[in-house]
Amino acid sequence: MDPASFLLLCLWSLWTLGCSQAATQADSIKIEGDITLGGLFPVHSRGPAGVPCGEVKKEKGIHRMEAMLYALDQINSDPDLLPNMTLGARILDTCSRDTYALEQSLTFVQALIQKDTSGVRCSNGEPPIIAKPERVVAVIGASASSVSIMVANVLRLFAIPQISYASTAPELSDSNRYDYFSRVVPPDSYQAQAMLDIVKAMGWNYVSTLASEGNYGESGVDAFMQISREAGGVCIAQSIKIPREPKPGEFDKMIKRLMETPNARGIIIFANEDDIKRVLEAARRANLTGQFLWVGSDSWGSKISPILKQEEVAEGAVTILPKRASVEGFDQYFTTRSLENNRRNIWFAEYWEEDFRCKLTRPGLQPDEGARKCTGEERIGRDATYEQEGKVQFVIDAVYAMAHALHNMHLDLCPGHIGVCEKMDPIHGQTLLRYILAVNFNGSAGTPVMFNENGDAPGRYDIFQYQLTNTTTPGYKAIGQWTEYLRLNIDDMQWSGGQKEIPSSVCSLPCNPGERKKMVKGVPCCWHCELCDGYQYQLDEFNCEMCPFDMRPNRNRTACRPTPIVKLEWSSPWAVLPIFLAMVGILGTIFIIITFIRFNDTPIVRASGRELSYVLLTGIFLIYTITFLMIAEPGIGVCALRRLFLGLGMAISYSALLTKTNRIYRIFEQGKKSVTPPKFISPTSQLVITFSLISIQIVAVVIWLGVAPPHSIIDYEEQRTPNPEFAQGVLKCDMSDLSIISCLSYSIILMVTCTVYAIKARGVPENFNEAKPIGFTMYTTCIVWLAFVPIFFGTAQSAEKIYIQTTTLTISMSLSAYVSLGMLYVPKVYVIIFHPEQNVQKRKRSFKAAATAVNASTRLSQKGAQNGESKDEKPDSLPKVMYISYTELTMGPT
């Protein structure tokens, strides 16, 4: 309602005279004095529909109202405060309803309105005699923020200062709208900050709010939500408003709504006592004892009435109350009040009946037959429990603040004057407001009473927790305080069932190390935890990042660590067999070489082609030695030797074998055509051909070394397994799989060519026995290498690639060497050592004789085949001259 509307309402009300005025007077307390203060108290609760007032409120109504009367008595009897002046009062009942309080508060402004009664006449024609209402210079109250807001809008129009003892709505801190309003209690913005600090101290980040409809509840929750948004770290799951007139089942629906977000167990509640009680009852009906963690505002405080018969549901509730102390003088004053000495309080009889649960006899009223009659001899605190209401201190401080302001004003405006001087008659509200904002004195609790520029008192709160289990005296226990910052004794807290561990009220549990938060859109306190997978590590709580290529995440993925470097070790099981085969092969090769040198001039050695045999044995030796180079730790030297010897040994071996096979093939092919020997069959020619073939491999390797100098590398991709725990960097030479095969490709070409010639020479007579061992050697070698290729490339993606490929390569090469050694030289060594009688020189023949014998042998073989004999069988009738051997073709002169 805007100010103009209020003014019209005031003017209309003030013109209403007679019985309406009398009715107002009957519902108020009048205390005579030189200066009159107004008082607004919720003496009665809100009545049902159509009825303004309900039952009397013992603590929040009578206690507080009596606190004002007590403060007036103390001030009027104090010779140092407002000497020679008395304070009076006009105290009204708001009935806990803002609209009713507005009607009542119009009494305060009647004296400020000039009413034109010139046209008003009594029945006898005489002008009416209208009693001039007392002038109210300031108002103490009201209690509820909604009432204070309604009343403040009227009082500011007439410049009447107002000091509240209980209204905490943040809206009232707006000095532009409520410039004549002050309060001795801190605003809910401080309270909201204190409650937010409590929530954070509990480690909660996901809570719901409950607010009674009206300025107090809604403003308090709004302040909490705004501060939590600004501070961050706390999210609101649900914000529920309790209607002024809740329908049946309304509170049960609220509990169901709260359970839609079960993780939000913390409930911030700004509500009146009745609403708090009904919420607790609904939670109990839903069998949710211990589910909700209540954080109550000062309307809950340390009161028993909201939790009466709901103690188990309320257990663990953390409540807040402006810092206060019990005023002993008020206790002595109030416990001595009786029906006889407290007639100035027109509502005291109702309190008496309610407190002692008896009925007073009133004229004109039939007494209730079942009710106990009051005797008047009952005593407060003796025949009924008594505990000072929490806001009594602030009522007293509010009255004293007004008294100090008037005292200081009197000192400045009326120096040396006894009583009210002309400058204070009338008292100007704007001047009085200035003095109110300037007061600074120690209040009834011993704490300073002062106001800031907005009329707000400093924030000082006590924090309580309702404890039921593991305590000899169940009730509210002080667990901390808040004065601009929180001091909370966590060790003194306990929760439902006596639990000491703080329950959780979080939307999402903290992510484990190595997990990032994926935020839920629109809810900054809710997230899903996602593991930093693969080679990612947790950069911060929201992001994962890939480790550098040479690193891998640690076990909990919070950082990166160097990837371990591996190579094929000498002690590795993968190296045992290759080394064993190579060592045996080297020893065997050396033994054969020594044997050949020892028997260098014997017919078998000479017949095997000494020169090419030594070349071939050298190649076989190099094939065995490559095993050690492949296992040795990679370095520039080792990598260079690998390139050189990997294909060189095989190139030497198969160049020599190819030269031998080609010579045999050419000799017998030439023998079929003529008796003229083919060219280049001498030992010297054979060596030239062999070294020419070998030189191709050497030249290619030298070019490779020059174009791409060898070096070792660490390959982090080869064993970059899906599980980083098994990832390894491989120290190896800069030779790819393709490079290895390319290095062996020339040797493979020689091998295949040699095999082709061995196949062509398969028709050579059996006497020429050097051709067939070479053929068998090449067939077996091809089988070995055909098995090697799929194994080598089939394990390219294996985590054990470095071991499998190196092992298969070295074993394949050793087996190739073993085949050559075993088929070509072991039989000869066997004859040389164990059958020296066979190692004798046979009759030499010329090439012409040998060729003639070959031709004759061929013709006889063909003839035998035509007669049904197998061509592979040796005809018994062949002349001995035809069984010449390859020895006769290869031996030189003796």
Side-chain angles (χ1 to χ4, degrees):
M1 188 178 294
D2 58 18
S5 300
F6 278 119
L7 183 57
L8 290 174
L9 177 62
C10 292
L11 293 173
W12 177 84
S13 299
L14 292 173
W15 280 106
T16 305
L17 304 174
C19 62
S20 64
Q21 184 176 1
T24 301
Q25 298 286 339
D27 290 337
S28 65
I29 293 176
K30 176 69 172 75
I31 305 295
E32 297 293 339
D34 298 324
I35 300 173
T36 301
L37 303 179
L40 292 172
F41 295 92
V43 178
H44 293 87
S45 62
R46 184 185 306 167
V51 180
C53 300
E55 296 178 349
V56 69
K57 301 178 77 168
K58 296 193 299 181
E59 290 84 11
K60 294 180 70 173
I62 299 298
H63 281 206
R64 294 179 183 180
M65 190 269 296
E66 285 287 351
M68 181 173 179
L69 296 177
Y70 166 77
L72 292 174
D73 292 345
Q74 295 295 309
I75 293 168
N76 290 335
S77 62
D78 188 342
D80 297 324
L81 187 60
L82 290 175
N84 301 312
M85 287 187 288
T86 58
L87 289 180
R90 171 71 70 178
I91 300 175
L92 304 174
D93 179 11
T94 64
C95 290
S96 306
R97 190 186 297 270
D98 51 5
T99 53
Y100 183 79
L102 176 63
E103 296 174 11
Q104 294 289 85
S105 65
L106 297 179
T107 304
F108 298 148
V109 298
Q110 288 180 7
L112 301 178
I113 301 295
Q114 297 296 328
K115 296 181 284 291
D116 184 7
T117 61
S118 58
V120 180
R121 291 290 183 270
C122 294
S123 58
N124 59 2
E126 294 294 326
I129 299 175
I130 302 174
K132 185 178 180 181
E134 75 274 16
R135 183 182 181 92
V136 175
V137 299
V139 174
I140 303 300
S143 178
S145 295
S146 58
V147 174
S148 289
I149 288 172
M150 190 74 79
V151 172
N153 279 301
V154 174
L155 298 182
R156 72 183 296 267
L157 299 177
F158 299 94
I160 298 178
Q162 174 186 2
I163 300 179
S164 173
Y165 50 83
S167 298
T168 56
E171 182 181 352
L172 290 166
S173 296
D174 186 352
S175 58
N176 293 321
R177 293 180 58 192
Y178 306 103
D179 44 347
Y180 283 86
F181 178 84
S182 303
R183 49 189 163 188
V184 291
V185 288
D188 285 339
S189 54
Y190 294 156
Q191 185 172 199
Q193 181 64 60
M195 296 172 79
L196 178 64
D197 290 347
I198 292 171
V199 167
K200 289 187 173 182
M202 298 297 102
W204 302 341
N205 68 0
Y206 197 49
V207 296
S208 294
T209 63
L210 275 176
S212 292
E213 185 177 1
N215 290 96
Y216 172 77
E218 295 179 56
S219 298
V221 164
D222 289 344
F224 180 85
M225 294 174 67
Q226 180 179 352
I227 293 172
S228 64
R229 279 195 300 269
E230 293 173 354
V234 175
C235 298
I236 308 300
Q238 296 195 67
S239 186
I240 300 175
K241 183 167 66 176
I242 304 172
R244 291 181 189 273
E245 304 293 341
K247 299 177 182 178
E250 190 77 32
F251 288 92
D252 295 324
K253 292 179 182 178
M254 293 177 193
I255 295 298
K256 288 182 180 179
R257 281 191 59 190
L258 291 175
M259 285 306 296
E260 292 175 3
T261 52
N263 286 349
R265 298 177 62 190
I267 309 297
I268 310 302
I269 183 165
F270 281 84
N272 59 52
E273 294 179 37
D274 293 336
D275 288 344
I276 293 171
K277 188 176 185 66
R278 294 177 187 178
V279 168
L280 296 178
E281 289 174 348
R284 180 180 55 79
R285 284 194 299 270
N287 197 27
L288 293 174
T289 300
Q291 165 64 26
F292 298 114
L293 311 171
W294 311 102
V295 180
S297 63
D298 61 345
S299 61
W300 185 334
S302 58
K303 300 186 183 80
I304 296 297
S305 56
I307 63 171
L308 193 62
K309 298 182 181 179
Q310 312 299 329
E311 290 83 357
E312 292 184 356
V313 182
E315 185 177 11
V318 178
T319 60
I320 190 170
L321 194 64
K323 196 170 188 64
R324 64 188 176 97
S326 181
V327 182
E328 293 183 5
F330 177 79
D331 289 339
Q332 296 173 2
Y333 161 81
F334 190 75
T335 54
T336 59
R337 296 300 90 192
S338 66
L339 295 173
E340 290 77 16
N341 63 15
N342 198 22
R343 296 183 181 274
R344 63 181 177 178
N345 184 348
I346 62 174
W347 300 291
F348 195 69
E350 291 182 66
Y351 171 83
W352 196 269
E353 291 180 326
E354 180 68 22
D355 196 37
F356 296 108
R357 297 183 181 180
C358 61
K359 287 294 181 182
L360 292 170
T361 303
R362 289 187 176 86
L365 291 177
Q366 271 309 89
D368 188 353
E369 306 239 351
R372 185 176 68 85
K373 292 182 180 180
C374 300
T375 64
E377 299 299 323
E378 296 90 354
R379 288 293 175 263
I380 299 171
R382 186 192 69 184
D383 301 312
T385 58
Y386 163 76
E387 183 179 358
Q388 189 179 123
E389 199 275 333
K391 293 292 196 302
V392 164
Q393 167 202 335
F394 299 105
V395 175
I396 297 172
D397 287 346
V399 178
Y400 266 88
M402 197 68 73
H404 278 281
L406 290 169
H407 181 81
N408 295 335
M409 183 179 181
H410 183 269
L411 292 177
D412 290 344
L413 299 182
C414 309
H417 193 279
I418 298 175
V420 179
C421 66
E422 292 183 358
K423 291 184 179 180
M424 291 184 64
D425 188 17
I427 295 175
H428 297 288
Q430 189 171 7
T431 305
L432 177 58
L433 175 64
R434 191 167 64 249
Y435 282 96
I436 289 173
L437 296 178
V439 299
N440 189 341
F441 64 97
N442 286 331
S444 55
T447 54
V449 176
M450 64 184 73
F451 303 99
N452 63 13
E453 65 276 8
N454 297 321
D456 293 330
R460 291 187 291 263
Y461 296 96
D462 286 320
I463 301 168
F464 300 90
Q465 186 183 42
Y466 184 74
Q467 298 180 357
L468 187 63
T469 312
N470 298 332
T471 176
T472 54
T473 56
Y476 293 96
K477 180 178 180 180
I479 57 171
Q481 55 186 341
W482 189 93
T483 50
E484 297 184 357
Y485 64 92
L486 178 66
R487 293 190 295 273
L488 194 64
N489 299 320
I490 299 292
D491 294 337
D492 293 340
M493 302 180 72
Q494 67 177 31
W495 307 86
S496 180
Q499 178 185 353
K500 297 295 288 185
E501 183 180 356
I502 299 175
S504 66
S505 181
V506 295
C507 181
S508 303
L509 294 175
C511 292
N512 294 323
E515 294 178 341
R516 76 177 185 93
K517 292 180 180 178
K518 184 179 181 181
M519 306 306 298
V520 176
K521 188 175 181 181
V523 189
C525 299
C526 299
W527 58 81
H528 302 296
C529 295
E530 288 188 349
L531 180 66
C532 296
D533 57 357
Y535 286 79
Q536 295 180 329
Y537 73 100
Q538 185 182 3
L539 180 63
D540 52 45
E541 62 177 331
F542 300 107
N543 298 289
C544 297
E545 191 169 281
M546 291 293 294
C547 286
F549 76 97
D550 59 343
M551 304 185 81
R552 62 177 180 171
N554 56 16
R555 290 187 180 275
N556 59 10
R557 294 180 177 272
T558 55
C560 293
R561 53 179 172 164
T563 302
I565 310 301
V566 298
K567 64 181 184 66
L568 186 57
E569 301 289 345
W570 296 102
S571 58
S572 170
W574 294 94
V576 172
L577 183 58
I579 292 174
F580 174 76
L581 293 177
M583 290 295 296
V584 173
I586 289 174
L587 294 175
T589 304
I590 293 173
F591 176 75
I592 291 173
I593 292 174
I594 293 173
T595 302
F596 266 51
I597 294 174
R598 171 68 179 80
F599 299 96
N600 186 57
D601 292 326
T602 60
I604 288 181
V605 176
R606 295 177 60 194
S608 63
R610 289 176 296 184
E611 296 79 4
L612 288 182
S613 291
Y614 290 131
V615 172
L616 179 57
L617 288 170
T618 301
I620 292 173
F621 180 85
L622 293 177
I623 290 175
Y624 287 127
T625 58
I626 193 62
T627 295
F628 300 97
L629 290 175
M630 296 300 293
I631 297 175
E633 181 174 344
I636 295 178
V638 171
C639 293
L641 292 176
R642 281 190 190 179
R643 290 191 188 182
L644 179 62
F645 289 108
L646 182 60
L648 182 60
M650 292 180 64
I652 292 173
S653 298
Y654 296 124
S655 294
L657 284 177
L658 176 59
T659 303
K660 274 192 173 188
T661 311
N662 175 266
R663 183 169 183 262
I664 295 172
Y665 175 74
R666 287 190 296 114
I667 287 174
F668 287 101
E669 283 297 311
Q670 182 69 17
K672 295 178 182 179
K673 300 174 184 178
S674 68
V675 296
T676 305
K679 298 179 179 180
F680 309 117
I681 63 173
S682 67
T684 302
S685 300
Q686 297 297 291
L687 289 175
V688 170
I689 294 172
T690 300
F691 285 115
S692 298
L693 294 173
I694 295 171
S695 65
I696 296 174
Q697 174 75 21
I698 296 174
V699 169
V701 171
V702 170
I703 294 173
W704 184 15
L705 292 173
V707 173
H711 61 278
S712 61
I713 61 171
I714 300 175
D715 188 349
Y716 291 98
E717 295 296 329
E718 182 173 309
Q719 292 198 29
R720 195 174 177 86
T721 56
N723 186 348
E725 287 300 312
F726 302 109
Q728 295 175 323
V730 179
L731 177 63
K732 63 179 186 178
C733 292
D734 59 333
M735 295 175 67
S736 63
D737 295 348
L738 185 60
S739 298
I740 293 174
I741 297 301
S742 298
C743 194
L744 297 172
S745 59
Y746 179 65
S747 299
I748 294 173
I749 292 173
L750 293 176
M751 182 197 313
V752 172
T753 306
C754 188
T755 304
V756 170
Y757 274 105
I759 293 172
K760 288 184 176 182
R762 70 185 183 279
V764 173
E766 188 174 317
N767 298 59
F768 302 92
N769 50 21
E770 188 77 349
K772 289 187 177 179
I774 293 175
F776 290 142
T777 299
M778 300 318 301
Y779 304 152
T780 307
T781 302
C782 287
I783 292 171
V784 170
W785 285 96
L786 285 174
F788 160 77
V789 171
I791 295 175
F792 186 84
F793 287 102
T795 58
Q797 302 302 321
S798 171
E800 306 290 337
K801 172 184 175 181
I802 179 178
Y803 307 115
I804 297 175
Q805 288 190 344
T806 303
T807 301
T808 54
L809 175 62
T810 53
I811 289 178
S812 296
M813 296 183 72
S814 293
L815 290 178
S816 300
Y818 272 113
V819 169
S820 299
L821 203 64
M823 291 194 172
L824 296 180
Y825 293 104
V826 169
K828 294 180 175 59
V829 172
Y830 177 77
V831 172
I832 291 172
I833 295 176
F834 296 103
H835 297 283
E837 70 278 4
Q838 295 181 13
N839 190 11
V840 295
Q841 184 174 351
K842 296 184 179 181
R843 179 174 57 87
K844 289 190 281 187
R845 296 188 179 187
S846 66
F847 177 82
K848 180 177 179 180
T852 302
V854 169
N855 289 334
S857 175
T858 303
R859 285 195 298 273
L860 287 173
S861 297
Q862 293 173 351
K863 182 176 179 181
Q866 292 173 358
N867 293 334
E869 297 176 351
S870 172
K871 63 181 180 179
D872 293 333
E873 294 177 359
K874 186 189 299 182
D876 295 336
S877 59
L878 277 174
K880 186 175 181 180
V881 70
M882 306 196 67
Y883 293 96
I884 60 176
S885 69
Y886 176 70
T887 303
E888 298 177 60
L889 298 174
T890 57
M891 286 178 61
T894 57

